[in-house]
Amino acid sequence: MTEKVVTETTTEARRPSLIQNLFPSVLSGIVLGVVGAAIAGVLVNRITTAINPDGVPNDDAVVAAVYTAWVLFFLVGIGAFNDVLKWGFARRDPTPAEELQLAGKGQGLWRYFRWTTDHKVVGMQYLATTLFLFFVGSMGAFMIRLEQSRPGAIFFTPSTYNTIVGMHGIIMIVAAVIMVAGPFGNFVVPIMIGARDMAFPRLNALSYWLLFLDIPIIITTLALGGFQTGWTGYAPLSVQGLTPGMEAYCFFIIIFAISTTVAALNIISTVLVMRTRGMTWGRLPILVWGVLLSVFLSLTAFPTFMMSQTMVVMDRVFQTSFFAASYGGNNWLYEHLFWFFGHPEVYVILLPSLAIAAEVTAVFSRKGIFGRRMLVGSLITISILSVIVWGHHLYFSGSNNALDAPFMLDTELISIPTGFFFLAMIGTFWRGKIWVTVPILFVVGTLVNFVVGGITGIYLADLPTDEILHGGMFVTAHFHFTLVGTAVFGFFAGFYYWFPKMVGKRLDPTLGQLHFWLFEVGFLGTFMSLFYAGLIGEPRWSANIAPPFATPNTIASLFAILIAASVFVTVYNVIITLRSGEPAVANE
């Protein structure tokens, strides 16, 4: 009996050259983006100068052209359109080998700096970017506290202070929006539902790189005179000339809205159609519910914010009049567009963090979630009610007096499903074998801070008390307890819990505990002081602190030093862990 020996010759793939590694990559994206932006700026400058009878260029048009070219040419340089062009001309789907190359196989750390479709790589990219944005935003917060530590505008001019406040606010909002759905929604959610990857891997990469290229846009506002409107960007102030730095704010929001829309559609599609067999809605993990509800809300809310900024750009560049009353515009239009985004956005941020708190509590209480269906129902109810409460931000704008009572009732109703969430959490802790770890510390901090944020929110929901408190530091303290004290603390619970899974190394638990206590004590001291400042009448948006409000602001600034210390403790913990941290075991 003879046997045929079949030999297969396999050609070993050649290692890519240096040029192939650099092009396409983030480096080629930056180079091409800068060159394209410079050319567009020069061309539009000359065109607007030529058509203007006074021979003066339209600075707003020039800046808008620069940002538009930066976005398009960066995406070209990083290879965002390569697959589209290949498919369009070759009229075939990529081979498995090409898909693996696109996913970053065999590219080492460099795959994190390229157009990569692997959901785990994208999740890590989001995590690193989130931490960077939090660091930048927190530096803005410390500059604010520095300015308000003593009466008088000592360290910054009022216009510079307003720009710092605006940049701090919008950067922290963006970081908070992506902090769970970005890293954990990409890395953890597909694993939880048994999916091999996201439904649309290329859109996944697109959503991240749109966020990445958006960051230089908001930073360049400093070179363009900043924007003095604060983080809300209220029109008609935002369309009344000011500086070209206002364009940076507008484009930052427009591009971020596109990024979140793409990411939301991808996550929804993944959860709807790629769950493994047997993963019914009743078995869906709480984190998946939280992320899913969050991205549904973002699809509802963010388009209105994007539309408002598109209108502002048109008013500034093309002299339309959406918001200028003297030409038939209406500033209430902006306020409604903004706050229809502004309040659901709170729950876009909050819901995933509450879901993380529930997941972590179940693990470290070593028991199932108490009233699981009740908890999911509370999150769904909060999501629905959050879309119909934006009017409480406009109680004293004069635009909706007939609707004040319904908006007040809707806002108060949110406290009911929130109470059910707390009931589920307390029931999960009750008689559990609690393992006190860093993640569970942040869960406890989340619940404590959420109680304060929720109770103080009732006073702002009711029109009689809001008449006294609106526009003051009481409001600032309230939303920091809700967004930072609750949502960001929830994020850090997930960060310490899933970091070993994502990176393969354990963060130092002692430094983690130090991070928690510095953050919590500093946070409570800072914003409890600002509650008092608001109660005695201190207004927001003031660089020059009046002497009657000096004491609570000085106390707040001193406690903010602890928050700053917690930031640097976290940075140090991450660095030493990446360099020489203890390896995580397989089941972490």
Side-chain angles (χ1 to χ4, degrees):
M1 184 176 180
T2 60
E3 294 182 356
K4 290 185 178 180
V5 180
V6 180
T7 60
E8 296 182 356
T9 59
T10 58
T11 305
E12 185 177 353
R14 290 182 300 174
R15 295 182 62 181
S17 65
L18 178 63
I19 298 298
Q20 290 173 326
N21 275 328
L22 295 180
F23 298 93
S25 72
V26 66
L27 293 178
S28 59
I30 292 173
V31 170
L32 198 58
V34 170
V35 172
I39 294 173
V42 171
L43 288 176
V44 174
N45 182 285
R46 293 187 176 182
I47 292 171
T48 55
T49 301
I51 64 177
N52 191 328
D54 298 327
V56 178
N58 185 334
D59 291 337
D60 293 313
V62 172
V63 174
V66 167
Y67 288 149
T68 303
W70 158 254
V71 172
L72 294 176
F73 283 96
F74 178 91
L75 291 176
V76 171
I78 202 168
F81 303 118
N82 288 1
D83 290 316
V84 177
L85 294 175
K86 287 179 182 178
W87 179 87
F89 286 101
R91 297 189 180 278
R92 66 172 178 83
D93 291 329
T95 64
E98 290 172 336
E99 290 285 8
L100 287 175
Q101 182 182 10
L102 193 61
K105 182 180 180 181
Q107 297 174 24
L109 290 176
W110 190 240
R111 69 186 185 274
Y112 295 104
F113 301 93
R114 305 191 70 183
W115 178 271
T116 309
T117 57
D118 184 354
H119 73 99
K120 293 182 179 180
V121 173
V122 176
M124 291 299 299
Q125 290 171 326
Y126 266 113
L127 180 61
T129 305
T130 298
L131 295 176
F132 172 77
L133 289 174
F134 273 139
F135 182 80
V136 174
S138 63
M139 293 303 104
F142 303 142
M143 286 189 278
I144 293 170
R145 293 302 341 138
L146 178 65
E147 181 63 77
Q148 295 192 328
S149 61
R150 297 173 59 187
I154 299 173
F155 300 99
F156 306 107
T157 64
S159 62
T160 301
Y161 175 81
N162 286 341
T163 297
I164 292 172
V165 170
M167 289 187 66
H168 160 72
I170 202 64
I171 288 174
M172 292 297 270
I173 288 292
V174 166
V177 167
I178 67 169
M179 66 184 177
V180 176
F184 309 135
N186 279 287
F187 196 107
V188 179
V189 165
I191 297 173
M192 281 185 161
I193 65 174
R196 293 176 63 88
D197 204 330
M198 301 295 284
F200 303 105
R202 288 167 179 79
L203 290 184
N204 208 20
L206 176 63
S207 69
Y208 171 73
W209 286 109
L210 282 171
L211 171 68
F212 179 89
L213 63 84
D214 209 14
I215 296 172
I217 291 178
I218 192 63
I219 293 176
T220 56
T221 190
L222 296 172
L224 297 173
F227 55 95
Q228 289 76 48
T229 60
W231 78 275
T232 56
Y234 265 5
L237 179 61
S238 59
V239 300
Q240 293 173 351
L242 297 179
T243 65
M246 194 68 220
E247 256 78 32
Y249 173 90
C250 296
F251 272 84
F252 183 68
I253 298 304
I254 292 169
I255 295 167
F256 179 67
I258 297 172
S259 171
T260 55
T261 300
V262 170
L265 291 171
N266 201 4
I267 291 173
I268 291 171
S269 301
T270 302
V271 175
L272 289 180
V273 303
M274 297 188 69
R275 303 191 310 276
T276 190
R277 182 176 298 179
M279 180 62 71
T280 62
W281 290 105
R283 295 176 177 176
L284 210 61
I286 298 298
L287 175 69
V288 181
W289 274 110
V291 171
L292 188 64
L293 293 171
S294 171
V295 297
F296 264 121
L297 276 179
S298 71
L299 279 180
T300 304
F302 277 92
T304 62
F305 198 16
M306 182 174 69
M307 284 191 295
S308 70
Q309 300 313 310
T310 303
M311 293 176 183
V312 170
V313 171
M314 293 180 70
D315 276 5
R316 292 177 63 90
V317 175
F318 301 110
Q319 284 73 55
T320 55
S321 56
F322 289 104
F323 305 119
S326 57
Y327 296 98
N330 192 330
N331 66 295
W332 283 342
L333 172 62
Y334 184 93
E335 293 189 30
H336 279 283
L337 288 173
F338 177 84
W339 286 114
F340 186 79
F341 146 82
H343 205 85
E345 160 260 328
V346 172
Y347 295 95
V348 170
I349 295 169
L350 197 60
L351 289 173
S353 292
L354 297 181
I356 286 177
E359 292 276 5
V360 170
T361 300
V363 170
F364 293 106
S365 295
R366 309 183 213 197
K367 57 183 290 193
I369 295 174
F370 174 79
R372 187 180 186 281
R373 292 184 179 180
M374 176 183 68
L375 190 149
V376 172
S378 71
L379 297 180
I380 294 173
T381 306
I382 290 171
S383 302
I384 295 171
L385 290 175
S386 70
V387 183
I388 54 175
V389 299
W390 81 93
H392 68 227
H393 293 276
L394 305 173
Y395 280 156
F396 301 101
S397 68
S399 68
N400 58 340
N401 291 333
L403 296 176
D404 283 347
F407 276 127
M408 184 170 67
L409 176 62
D410 293 340
T411 306
E412 291 173 340
L413 284 175
I414 287 188
S415 62
I416 297 175
T418 303
F420 282 115
F421 171 81
F422 272 96
L423 177 62
M425 295 295 291
I426 293 170
T428 306
F429 275 115
W430 181 254
R431 293 188 175 181
K433 298 179 180 179
I434 299 173
W435 182 11
V436 181
T437 60
V438 176
I440 209 70
L441 286 176
F442 275 98
V443 169
V444 173
T446 296
L447 298 178
V448 170
N449 297 333
F450 196 18
V451 169
V452 178
I455 291 175
T456 54
I458 294 175
Y459 296 103
L460 299 174
D462 290 345
L463 197 150
T465 47
D466 187 59
E467 183 176 5
I468 301 170
L469 298 172
H470 83 282
M473 293 303 287
F474 188 94
V475 179
T476 301
H478 157 70
F479 71 69
H480 276 84
F481 263 95
T482 305
L483 295 181
V484 179
T486 304
V488 175
F489 271 69
F491 160 75
F492 277 115
F495 174 73
Y496 282 96
Y497 179 57
W498 279 302
F499 189 90
K501 176 69 175 177
M502 298 175 72
V503 179
K505 294 184 177 181
R506 291 196 192 100
L507 289 162
D508 186 287
T510 303
L511 290 176
Q513 293 173 14
L514 180 60
H515 170 208
F516 169 76
W517 287 112
L518 287 172
F519 197 2
E520 178 68 359
V521 173
F523 180 80
L524 290 175
T526 298
F527 291 101
M528 285 296 186
S529 301
L530 295 184
F531 271 130
Y532 175 73
L535 288 173
I536 62 176
E538 182 186 351
R540 298 166 65 188
W541 311 105
S542 177
N544 188 350
I545 298 299
F549 313 125
T551 300
N553 276 278
T554 300
I555 294 173
S557 296
L558 291 173
F559 273 101
I561 296 173
L562 298 182
I563 302 177
S566 76
V567 171
F568 289 103
V569 166
T570 307
V571 172
Y572 176 72
N573 197 358
V574 171
I575 291 174
I576 65 168
T577 299
L578 294 176
R579 187 184 63 185
S580 57
E582 180 183 358
V585 296
N587 64 348
E588 289 194 54

